[in-house]
Amino acid sequence: MRILFMGTPEFAVPSLDTLRKKHEIVGIFTKVDKPNTRGKKIKYTPVKEYALENNIPIYQPNSLRTEETFELIKELNPELIVVVAYGKIIPNNIIEFPKYGIINVHSSLLPKFRGAAPINAAIIAGEKESGVTIMDIAEELDAGDIILKGTTPIYEEDTFLTLHDRLKAIGAEKLDEAVEQIEAGTAKREVQNHLEATFVKPYKKTDCLVDWNKTKEEIFNFVRGMNPFPTAYTYHNEKVLKIYAIEKLDKIYENGENGEIVDSIKGKGFVVKVNNGSVILTEIKPENKKNISGKDSINGNLFKIGEVLK
């Protein structure tokens, strides 16, 4: 099958690799190149890097709504367009063009967690299961008919990164199945229950601030759902303190306020009081410093008992 692939981040690469082994990839659409964090060297998207390594034609239109872009798609003449975390809304004229339409690989069990950050959101919400949905693209965001789903448990030790890596593999596997079914004419569709839909907006910096008035379970889920990106943080001595990992404690400290450093545990880290108990800071990153373990924070006397994190 002739396929045009639209994708940008690392999450999309296994899906592209799977398709390339069985189908003709007529080209890839990916977001435009950007400078790296220091603003100097241009950084290619992971999908572009893969396309360069495998001699796949690369296109990086600024907009999908121009006549020029639509003419390019007509010239490429794909039978199917596959979208995996491309980062752009697909206009209706493109949706209606390919013989087999456009399908999308979305990293949640729709209709729950539509939108930009479903992997983070599932962990933060304390979900016990996540997965990938292969669906038809519709004009409304993540609202198309469901073709296939693949599931995985969310484990207590999972972070955004570990769940992300499992889901990108599941997404590639289920995409392969879906394309085979579409080509054979056996694909079945299920209309989403739009009344059950939840939406996740992109996380802003202010969304990543830890609220120490929440329960230890909520804070634990929040920190691992933000690890390694966009990263939970708090303030210590008016400087940003990033938090990558914590452990829950059942011990309740009667003294002090939520967010206060109330204790330290040798070989573990400093203890912070929260709503229904306490947590240990086991991996942190002080401003302008490298990541350190909770043990190293004790050895370096990073905190003092009685200090409050905000």
Side-chain angles (χ1 to χ4, degrees), residues 18-19 22-23 171-181:
T18 296
L19 292 176
K22 293 186 178 181
H23 303 278
E173 177 187 344
K174 291 300 174 180
L175 174 63
D176 183 36
E177 290 181 34
V179 173
E180 285 188 2
Q181 291 178 10

Side-chain angles (χ1 to χ4, degrees), residues 100-166:
Y100 295 112
I102 305 183
I103 61 172
N104 180 47
V105 180
H106 183 75
S107 52
S108 83
L109 298 175
L110 291 171
K112 205 164 192 178
F113 304 124
R114 295 178 181 176
I119 301 176
N120 307 83
I123 297 175
I124 292 168
E127 296 289 312
K128 301 301 181 186
E129 185 180 59
S130 184
V132 170
T133 303
I134 313 298
M135 65 172 181
D136 289 321
I137 286 279
E139 284 194 276
E140 185 182 347
L141 182 64
D142 298 331
D145 292 350
I146 295 167
I147 302 171
L148 285 175
K149 287 184 179 181
T151 64
T152 179
I154 298 179
Y155 303 105
E156 276 246 323
E157 61 269 23
D158 268 326
T159 64
F160 164 79
L161 184 60
T162 60
L163 183 56
H164 167 279
D165 286 353
R166 283 208 306 284

Side-chain angles (χ1 to χ4, degrees), residues 34-44 229 242:
K34 292 182 178 180
N36 64 13
T37 51
R38 296 184 179 181
K40 295 180 181 178
K41 186 177 180 180
I42 294 295
K43 185 177 181 180
Y44 295 157
F229 179 83
K242 292 186 176 181

Side-chain angles (χ1 to χ4, degrees), residues 9-277:
E10 176 60 34
F11 185 87
V13 172
S15 290
L16 176 55
D17 182 60
T18 296
L19 292 176
R20 185 185 67 85
K21 292 172 181 176
K22 293 186 178 181
H23 303 278
E24 179 187 357
I25 307 300
V26 298
I28 64 107
F29 276 29
T30 192
K31 279 193 168 182
V32 297
D33 303 326
K34 292 182 178 180
N36 64 13
T37 51
R38 296 184 179 181
K40 295 180 181 178
K41 186 177 180 180
I42 294 295
K43 185 177 181 180
Y44 295 157
T45 73
V47 165
K48 182 174 179 178
E49 292 278 8
Y50 180 92
L52 287 169
E53 291 169 4
N54 291 280
N55 300 310
I56 301 171
I58 298 164
Y59 306 96
Q60 296 176 279
N62 285 308
S63 172
L64 296 182
R65 299 187 180 277
T66 65
E67 186 62 29
E68 180 183 7
T69 300
F70 188 51
E71 288 299 319
L72 171 60
I73 291 173
K74 287 196 290 186
E75 183 180 328
L76 293 171
N77 195 28
E79 296 172 276
L80 175 72
I81 297 178
V82 173
V83 179
V84 187
Y86 180 35
K88 289 181 181 289
I89 301 296
I90 314 295
N92 197 51
N93 63 330
I94 295 178
I95 293 173
E96 294 177 347
F97 177 75
K99 175 182 177 181
Y100 295 112
I102 305 183
I103 61 172
N104 180 47
V105 180
H106 183 75
S107 52
S108 83
L109 298 175
L110 291 171
K112 205 164 192 178
F113 304 124
R114 295 178 181 176
I119 301 176
N120 307 83
I123 297 175
I124 292 168
E127 296 289 312
K128 301 301 181 186
E129 185 180 59
S130 184
V132 170
T133 303
I134 313 298
M135 65 172 181
D136 289 321
I137 286 279
E139 284 194 276
E140 185 182 347
L141 182 64
D142 298 331
D145 292 350
I146 295 167
I147 302 171
L148 285 175
K149 287 184 179 181
T151 64
T152 179
I154 298 179
Y155 303 105
E156 276 246 323
E157 61 269 23
D158 268 326
T159 64
F160 164 79
L161 184 60
T162 60
L163 183 56
H164 167 279
D165 286 353
R166 283 208 306 284
L167 292 180
K168 71 181 182 182
I170 294 170
E173 177 187 344
K174 291 300 174 180
L175 174 63
D176 183 36
E177 290 181 34
V179 173
E180 285 188 2
Q181 291 178 10
I182 289 168
E183 194 168 25
T186 59
K188 297 179 181 179
R189 265 73 173 182
E190 175 190 345
V191 177
Q192 293 189 44
N193 185 342
H194 303 297
L195 296 177
E196 295 180 354
T198 59
F199 292 85
V200 187
K201 294 180 180 179
Y203 287 105
K204 300 176 183 177
K205 183 178 179 181
T206 50
D207 299 324
C208 304
L209 182 65
V210 176
D211 181 354
W212 299 110
N213 292 310
K214 291 191 173 182
T215 66
K216 61 180 181 289
E217 292 83 8
E218 289 173 317
I219 295 171
F220 175 74
N221 291 337
F222 182 78
V223 168
R224 64 198 184 99
M226 291 282 179
N227 179 8
F229 179 83
T231 318
Y233 72 95
T234 187
Y235 287 101
H236 174 237
N237 292 333
E238 299 184 352
K239 292 184 177 181
V240 170
L241 178 73
K242 292 186 176 181
I243 303 174
Y244 290 92
I246 64 172
E247 288 184 14
K248 295 173 287 185
L249 287 179
D250 291 328
K251 184 174 181 179
I252 296 176
Y253 291 81
E254 299 297 336
N255 61 307
E257 60 182 285
N258 292 341
E260 184 172 326
I261 305 292
V262 289
D263 201 356
S264 63
I265 298 177
K266 188 175 181 180
K268 285 281 191 177
F270 285 95
V271 178
V272 182
K273 181 176 179 177
V274 300
N275 185 295
N276 64 338

